[in-house]
Amino acid sequence: MTQYSGVYMRLLREEMGNLSAYLGSECSLNMHLSDKGLVERVEMQSQSKLCRVAFNAIWEIAFFPLPADKQDADKLRDVKLLVSPQ
């Protein structure tokens, strides 16, 4: 499971690009995926600029890979992400 969260964060970082303007900020999001890995819903903790950038990036990615095992995949369908530029 940890490998998938790493993949998700890598995809998100790549899509978001340079976040140096947001150093010291963080954003918590909840991402809900379909059983095929398509983004169905994203909830933001706030309307900060960083959260909006992350929100838009998730929708641009649109698809996040899921494990072949259905039980493992179901555990990843509701994911909490913490974006904190370093």
Side-chain angles (χ1 to χ4, degrees), residues 20-76:
S20 60
Y22 305 105
L23 288 176
S25 300
E26 68 178 31
C27 174
S28 179
L29 304 110
N30 292 322
M31 178 174 69
H32 306 276
L33 304 174
S34 74
D35 58 353
K36 304 280 189 235
L38 296 172
V39 176
E40 290 185 328
R41 187 172 74 246
V42 180
E43 300 159 355
M44 298 184 290
Q45 74 168 17
S46 74
Q47 292 290 323
S48 70
K49 287 183 179 183
L50 178 60
C51 280
R52 288 188 307 237
V53 169
F55 177 90
N56 290 335
I58 289 169
W59 284 105
E60 282 296 318
I61 296 166
F63 169 80
F64 289 81
L66 291 171
D69 182 272
K70 183 174 175 4
Q71 287 183 330
D72 288 342
D74 285 346
K75 293 175 188 173
L76 289 169

